[in-house]
Amino acid sequence: MDDNAQIRKNVKLCYHYLITHFLKLLLLSSLTVLVMNVSRLNLNHLAFIFLVAFLGTTLFFMSRPRSVYLLDYSCYLPPSSLQLSHQKFMNHSKLINTFNESSLEFQSKILKRSGLGHETFLPEAIHDVPPRPTMAAAREEAELVVFGVLDSLFENTKVNIKEISVLVVNCSLFNPTPSLSAMIVNKYKLRENVKSFNLGGMGCSAGVIAVDLANDMLQIHRNTYALVVSTENITQNWYFGNKKAMLIPNCLFRLGGSAVLLSNKSCDRRRSKYKLVHTVRTHKGSDEKAFNCVYQEQDEDLKTGVSLSKDLMSIAGAALKTNITTLGPLVLPMSEQILFFATFLANKLFSSKKKMKPYMPDFKLAFDHFCIHAGGRAVIDELEKSLRLLPKHVEASRMTLHRFGNTSSSSIWYELAYTEAKGRMRKGNRVWQIAFGSGFKCNSAVWVALRDVEPSVKNPWENCIHRYPVKIDL
């Protein structure tokens, strides 16, 4: 780094420090003046000041939303028998005799460039030759994942299951009757008045949507728990055709799922890992290109799959900009907001002249950890570049993609588990979970750590974290 660059960096740090602490200095000065002049005030003035302070404090506590805490969460770790290396994937694809040579070559290229390792997992029905994309096999996959994460979660939290009054399940492509939420109610004998929701077709960002819905329900129902289950089902959604845009999901999506236990009980704060700070949802579905960029359809041979548009990354970038425009004022320090607004105002006032490049706020000043949906190498690369992140900020996302593949809406929880397994989560650290999904949607959740967080029992990384991070050759 040259001298000029170092000087600019130091000047910006001084600027951020001054602006960040400006309000604190102003408040301290005002209190000092008030204390120095309190002897000059009569009883009526003091009574008025006390009344205003009392009413303001009362109004603040009555109007603020209920705090929502994350007691714990669990991610599914499939048995090693379901692992699939690149070579085994390609051998299997050749054996089932549905792909032509061009499709096989395309899948091989995608796998090599995907960022996935050789230890990701696929359901048993896809391992079989020929595959078994039946309803029964799909139910078996759902039960394996969902019951697996819930058993682990309930064992770790020791919660009374009858106290859970809200259940939100999201699975995009498998929505049987009875629903997956009903399957959970039946298995664990949840209370008869449980408020259950089953979200379908909402893509990889549905995990944040489910948390947002659970948060809304916890604002209404007092002293209770909400259970959020996020998964995807591969068994009936494997594509057996030769349309290349529909072959990409075969190469990226893998078996996985998560379960999260939320509470609005104030007594649970001490044993909780995190507190939910913000959720921000962005939906670009009114735009035709955005709506169609991730689209389930049948090819010319009537084989069903999910088609990914070439415009996907540009649409994701536009959705991200909209999302951070809303999120920024909620999380960024005032110093960054002033710089952003000044650039925006300058471009508006001097529109006839050459415009300044829009200022991208430095979100590293707002967050300590980033959980970017492991949708694929291109997604992580684009966000690393757009948000000006460092390699360490996207390490959890890259390693999750390498170890588990794209597990859809649950991937952000595998990333958080990675950060905990590495021992990096400290009290007061802020976490940004950001996910993209069909529709097209970009959704964010912000959490703050309530303590130094240790990995829970059966953390999905507990037996392999010593091997990570690994160098990924592309």
Side-chain angles (χ1 to χ4, degrees):
M1 183 182 294
D2 58 33
D3 292 340
N4 290 334
Q6 185 64 47
I7 291 172
R8 287 196 299 270
K9 182 179 179 180
N10 291 337
V11 169
K12 190 171 183 180
L13 287 174
C14 291
Y15 162 75
H16 284 306
Y17 184 84
L18 178 63
I19 297 298
T20 301
H21 297 282
F22 176 75
L23 292 178
K24 296 178 183 177
L25 294 172
L26 184 63
L27 178 62
L28 182 61
S29 301
S30 301
L31 289 175
T32 302
V33 172
L34 179 63
V35 170
M36 291 177 63
N37 291 276
V38 69
S39 59
R40 302 179 184 178
L41 300 175
N42 57 38
L43 289 177
N44 290 334
H45 288 146
L46 291 174
F48 177 75
I49 293 173
F50 174 79
L51 180 62
V52 169
F54 176 77
L55 291 175
T57 303
T58 303
L59 182 63
F60 171 76
F61 282 103
M62 289 181 64
S63 61
R64 70 173 183 170
R66 288 194 180 96
S67 295
V68 171
Y69 306 108
L70 190 160
L71 270 74
D72 206 351
Y73 64 96
S74 178
C75 298
Y76 181 63
L77 178 62
S80 58
S81 60
L82 298 181
Q83 284 184 352
L84 199 75
S85 66
H86 291 188
Q87 186 61 50
K88 188 175 180 181
F89 179 97
M90 292 309 304
N91 291 341
H92 182 274
S93 296
K94 293 174 184 176
L95 286 173
I96 61 177
N97 293 319
T98 63
F99 303 114
N100 58 37
E101 285 300 319
S102 177
S103 295
L104 290 170
E105 183 180 352
F106 178 75
Q107 290 181 81
S108 179
K109 288 181 179 179
I110 293 295
L111 275 176
K112 290 176 182 177
R113 299 167 53 190
S114 65
L116 273 69
H118 296 277
E119 298 179 318
T120 59
F121 304 89
L122 282 175
E124 184 176 348
I126 301 300
H127 281 266
D128 291 345
V129 179
R132 294 183 296 112
T134 64
M135 174 64 75
R139 285 187 182 276
E140 289 174 8
E141 178 191 343
E143 292 175 356
L144 183 72
V145 175
V146 172
F147 295 162
V149 290
L150 287 177
D151 287 346
S152 175
L153 181 66
F154 293 148
E155 182 181 348
N156 288 342
T157 59
K158 310 298 182 187
V159 67
N160 182 354
I161 293 176
K162 293 296 184 182
E163 292 187 49
I164 298 172
S165 63
V166 178
L167 170 64
V168 185
V169 180
N170 70 271
C171 182
S172 222
L173 296 173
F174 181 60
N175 294 284
T177 300
S179 66
L180 297 180
S181 59
M183 181 182 79
I184 294 172
V185 172
N186 176 260
K187 167 71 174 180
Y188 295 98
K189 310 305 178 189
L190 301 187
R191 53 202 281 183
E192 293 183 352
N193 64 344
V194 64
K195 311 305 187 289
S196 65
F197 302 87
N198 204 95
L199 307 181
M202 304 194 80
C204 300
S205 68
V208 177
I209 296 173
V211 168
D212 184 52
L213 175 57
N215 177 48
D216 288 343
M217 296 301 294
L218 289 175
Q219 300 304 314
I220 301 171
H221 304 281
R222 295 175 176 271
N223 297 317
T224 192
Y225 296 107
L227 183 62
V228 176
V229 180
S230 299
T231 189
E232 192 50 86
N233 195 284
I234 296 175
T235 296
Q236 283 196 314
N237 295 287
W238 199 256
Y239 177 59
F240 295 100
N242 291 288
K243 186 176 179 180
K244 292 181 179 179
M246 299 169 75
L247 282 168
I248 298 174
N250 284 12
C251 302
L252 297 179
F253 283 86
R254 294 295 184 263
L255 185 67
S258 64
V260 180
L261 186 63
L262 304 174
S263 171
N264 60 7
K265 298 183 178 183
S266 57
C267 61
D268 281 329
R269 178 185 174 93
R270 294 187 64 183
R271 70 185 186 116
S272 296
K273 287 186 171 184
Y274 304 95
K275 176 183 175 182
L276 182 62
V277 183
H278 301 292
T279 54
V280 175
R281 293 167 55 180
T282 299
H283 203 312
K284 307 292 284 187
S286 58
D287 178 80
E288 288 300 320
K289 280 190 175 182
F291 177 75
N292 290 297
C293 73
V294 181
Y295 202 86
Q296 187 180 28
E297 59 185 358
Q298 290 181 322
D299 64 14
E300 59 273 11
D301 298 319
L302 302 182
K303 294 180 178 179
T304 303
V306 176
S307 178
L308 302 183
S309 166
K310 293 180 180 179
D311 299 321
L312 178 59
M313 292 313 304
S314 62
I315 291 167
L320 173 66
K321 289 180 182 178
T322 303
N323 189 267
I324 64 177
T325 299
T326 303
L327 180 67
L330 300 175
V331 299
L332 287 169
M334 187 61 66
S335 55
E336 286 295 286
Q337 296 187 47
I338 291 174
L339 288 174
F340 177 80
F341 179 73
T343 306
F344 174 80
L345 192 62
N347 284 331
K348 288 293 184 181
L349 293 177
F350 306 105
S351 56
S352 59
K353 301 180 180 180
K354 185 177 180 180
K355 289 189 175 183
M356 298 173 60
K357 185 179 180 180
Y359 179 74
M360 172 58 73
D362 187 356
F363 280 91
K364 298 188 294 294
L365 296 171
F367 301 110
D368 302 283
H369 306 284
F370 296 79
C371 296
I372 299 168
H373 166 54
R377 180 180 59 84
V379 174
I380 300 171
D381 288 348
E382 182 63 28
L383 264 72
E384 181 181 12
K385 178 182 176 182
S386 299
L387 297 174
R388 296 183 298 167
L389 302 179
L390 301 174
K392 67 178 182 179
H393 296 126
V394 294
E395 179 185 316
S397 299
R398 292 197 190 281
M399 297 307 105
T400 294
L401 182 65
H402 181 270
R403 178 66 181 86
F404 296 101
N406 180 351
T407 61
S408 190
S409 56
S410 63
S411 68
I412 54 178
W413 297 105
Y414 285 89
E415 293 160 17
L416 189 59
Y418 177 89
T419 305
E420 292 180 7
K422 280 293 184 182
R424 297 172 181 171
M425 191 63 67
R426 296 288 178 260
K427 182 178 180 179
N429 281 182
R430 292 165 71 89
V431 183
W432 183 12
Q433 292 179 321
I434 183 166
F436 300 91
S438 58
F440 187 83
K441 298 178 285 293
C442 175
N443 299 317
S444 295
V446 178
W447 305 87
V448 61
L450 298 177
R451 53 185 167 88
D452 292 353
V453 180
E454 298 293 331
S456 300
V457 177
K458 295 185 179 179
N459 180 292
W461 297 90
E462 64 183 4
N463 295 321
C464 64
I465 193 63
H466 61 281
R467 295 192 277 118
Y468 286 87
V470 298
K471 183 180 179 181
I472 302 175
D473 296 320
L474 300 175

